[in-house]
Amino acid sequence: MKNILLLGATGSIGDSVLDVISQNQDKLNLIGISINSNVSKAKKIIQKFNPSHLYIEDSNSFNAFEKQPELKLYNNKKGLEDIINLSEIDIIVSAISGFAGLESTYISSRTGKTILLANKESIVAGGDFILSEAKKFNTTILPIDSEHNAIFQCLPPDQDIQDVKKVTITASGGPFLNSDLSELQKVTKEQALSHPNWSMGSKISIDSATLVNKCLELIEAKYLFNLDEKYFELVVHPQSIIHSIVTYLDGSSICQLSNPDMRVPIAHALSGKNRLPLDFNALDFSSLNLSFQEFPKDRMQIQNLAREVCNVGGLSGVIFNAANEIAVDNFLKGQIKFTEIYDVIFRTFDISIMSNEMSLDAINQMDIETRIKAEKVVKSIA
Ligand code: NDP
Ligand code: MG
């Protein structure tokens, strides 16, 4: 039996993880969960899965939560450290959205346990730092972002990374796949949130619509697989069936296929020697019509900025991530237009000063400073 701590249990990834657990109760046990403030959903999860530990980030929600005899409650920084370090935990799922997930991913990286990583923003912002902590403490990081899980499945553990010629990360293209950027000035929040293939939280849905999600994934992949950015190509694949492709020096290209369903990469990362059985719709290959197209030319500027982040390293990922989070937040609040999300990122980058200092404090400080700069850029636009 593997004991699982699910960070971000009330989110979209949380739902998928809980479904995989419920289909494999003889092998997987939910021992603890963390939430921000969605107490009503947390109560339903507790009723169904009976975890014995609950972390609540939001202090008002924590104070208002009625005590229960079999449930230990946690809040604040010390509580987060305590729940993550519980000795009975085998696997920590990092599924909080945004930079807010960095602290718990960092604490988890120092436990020597296994992390299932969905929270790409923590790797974009703290890549080298978090991965070197994980190495120091013998912590295993298994990606559950579908593209990275696909790459992981296509790269056998004993394969020499030098045998890789290129890695192709696929992008669905999001809801505005065949629209020019110039046509997207007036798109509404509802249009941007309605992804054709995946059902996800609001932040990543907007990232998918801008294709910034693919840029974050490029940076995430560069760190996780320790490959230079020039090995990665981003290609649009509207059906979201092939999740990524590894091409070797001898001309073989290996890919992973599945329906767009996050339970598939999650089940893979939760399995040991044997695959976990899942109730799923098998692909009907004779009816599949798979296609690929170039990454849109009018969104190359943002891809190039992500490539610059990969090459510059240091805290440049913190700037990229924080500028994007502020831009997305302001778009969702109706303060800026969809297309202005890119302007906020570029202009915040232009007025930021890079730093190579790598520590949790330096990352947090750069995040705070960048958010202030990005909000000023938003004000100058809005
Ligand atoms: P959601 O918005 O659906 O869920 C976010 C979760 O994080 C909720 O449990 C929320 O708690 C919690 N949370 C939010 N803010 C905080 C905070 N400040 N402190 C503690 N907890 C917080 O996000 P998703 O599930 O869509 O995404 C989660 C992560 O997984 C993201 O990094 C995303 O990029 C990544 N990912 C998601 C995919 C998907 O299909 N959804 C695919 C690949 C990667 P509460 O409900 O209480 O607010
Ligand atoms: Mg992905």
Side-chain angles (χ1 to χ4, degrees):
M1 187 67 85
K2 286 178 184 163
N3 285 326
I4 298 170
L5 171 67
L6 176 51
L7 305 171
T10 42
S12 159
I13 290 285
D15 288 341
S16 297
V17 172
L18 292 171
D19 194 79
V20 174
I21 295 175
S22 68
Q23 291 190 48
N24 289 279
Q25 289 184 34
D26 54 331
K27 301 183 191 81
L28 306 172
N29 174 46
L30 186 71
I31 193 163
I33 62 172
S34 94
I35 65 162
N36 182 30
S37 61
N38 191 346
V39 167
S40 61
K41 188 160 178 185
K43 282 183 179 162
K44 288 189 188 131
I45 297 171
I46 291 162
Q47 215 166 26
K48 179 160 181 204
F49 292 89
N50 205 18
S52 33
H53 304 270
L54 167 65
Y55 175 86
I56 305 177
E57 170 73 22
D58 178 68
S59 291
N60 291 333
S61 308
F62 171 78
N63 292 329
F65 196 91
E66 320 97 59
K67 310 274 172 292
Q68 297 178 18
E70 307 282 295
L71 185 66
K72 188 157 181 339
L73 296 182
Y74 302 79
N75 166 243
N76 72 38
K77 190 174 161 47
K78 161 104 181 28
L80 189 63
E81 281 178 359
D82 288 348
I83 191 170
I84 290 174
N85 280 298
L86 285 169
S87 61
E88 53 270 52
I89 295 171
D90 302 301
I91 293 169
I92 302 161
V93 184
S94 168
I96 291 172
S97 70
F99 185 83
L102 184 128
E103 188 172 21
S104 52
T105 307
Y106 166 72
I107 299 169
S108 305
S109 74
R110 298 165 58 89
T111 57
K113 304 179 195 289
T114 295
I115 304 176
L116 262 57
L117 182 87
N119 178 249
K120 63 192 83 181
E121 295 89 345
S122 58
I123 297 300
V124 170
D128 276 339
F129 177 61
I130 287 181
L131 293 172
S132 68
E133 290 299 295
K135 203 169 173 190
K136 229 190 287 172
F137 287 83
N138 222 0
T139 301
T140 304
I141 298 185
L142 300 175
I144 54 175
D145 203 347
S146 56
E147 297 75 7
H148 304 73
N149 183 268
I151 299 169
F152 189 72
Q153 294 200 49
C154 298
L155 268 174
D158 54 352
Q159 184 79 53
D160 193 334
I161 200 81
Q162 290 187 351
D163 292 348
V164 173
K165 186 166 172 65
K166 69 171 178 175
V167 178
T168 308
I169 298 179
T170 55
S172 68
F176 309 127
L177 170 60
N178 292 313
S179 310
D180 287 342
L181 201 52
S182 56
E183 299 166 43
L184 300 180
Q185 299 270 355
K186 294 207 169 91
V187 301
T188 62
K189 174 174 139 178
E190 288 71 27
Q191 288 170 313
L193 283 171
S194 60
H195 197 283
N197 305 343
W198 299 94
S199 151
M200 308 180 285
S202 55
K203 194 262 174 182
I204 184 174
S205 295
I206 301 302
D207 288 345
S208 297
T210 55
L211 294 183
V212 169
N213 183 47
K214 233 19 74 177
C215 299
L216 296 171
E217 290 183 353
L218 167 68
I219 304 168
E220 180 188 10
K222 172 231 136 80
Y223 283 122
L224 289 181
F225 299 103
N226 195 19
L227 270 177
D228 201 277
E229 60 71 30
K230 66 175 188 291
Y231 283 90
F232 295 97
E233 66 176 357
L234 307 184
V235 169
V236 173
H237 166 51
Q239 298 81 23
S240 298
I241 297 289
I242 294 183
H243 299 292
S244 279
I245 308 160
V246 177
T247 300
Y248 289 97
L249 290 174
D250 60 3
S252 271
S253 291
I254 316 278
C255 65
Q256 184 263 345
L257 291 78
S258 64
N259 277 311
D261 181 338
M262 286 308 293
R263 291 173 303 175
V264 177
I266 290 165
H268 171 262
L270 282 172
S271 59
K273 234 163 114 201
N274 290 103
R275 296 256 172 170
L276 285 179
L278 262 195
D279 181 17
F280 70 103
N281 291 329
L283 291 169
D284 174 9
F285 292 104
S286 57
S287 70
L288 281 183
N289 199 351
L290 303 181
S291 63
F292 297 92
Q293 58 198 68
E294 267 187 341
F295 196 88
K297 287 213 165 50
D298 57 7
R299 270 149 275 186
M300 277 309 286
Q301 201 188 343
I302 195 75
Q303 184 186 142
N304 289 336
L305 184 63
R307 289 189 182 275
E308 193 183 322
V309 168
C310 290
N311 290 319
V312 171
L315 296 180
S316 62
V318 184
I319 299 171
F320 188 90
N321 182 67
N324 179 53
E325 286 194 20
I326 292 297
V328 170
D329 195 41
N330 277 285
F331 169 68
L332 288 171
K333 288 193 297 208
Q335 298 295 317
I336 58 171
K337 292 184 192 137
F338 180 79
T339 45
E340 288 170 343
I341 293 175
Y342 302 104
D343 300 333
V344 172
I345 300 173
F346 293 131
R347 286 172 58 180
T348 305
F349 232 88
D350 284 347
I351 56 173
S352 296
I353 299 156
M354 296 300 158
S355 160
N356 282 328
E357 194 192 330
M358 267 295 172
S359 67
L360 192 59
D361 283 349
I363 291 169
N364 282 328
Q365 192 52 36
M366 182 60 96
D367 178 71
I368 292 168
E369 284 168 18
T370 307
R371 281 167 196 270
I372 294 169
K373 288 189 178 120
E375 288 288 5
K376 281 190 185 146
V377 173
V378 166
K379 281 214 175 72
S380 74
I381 290 175

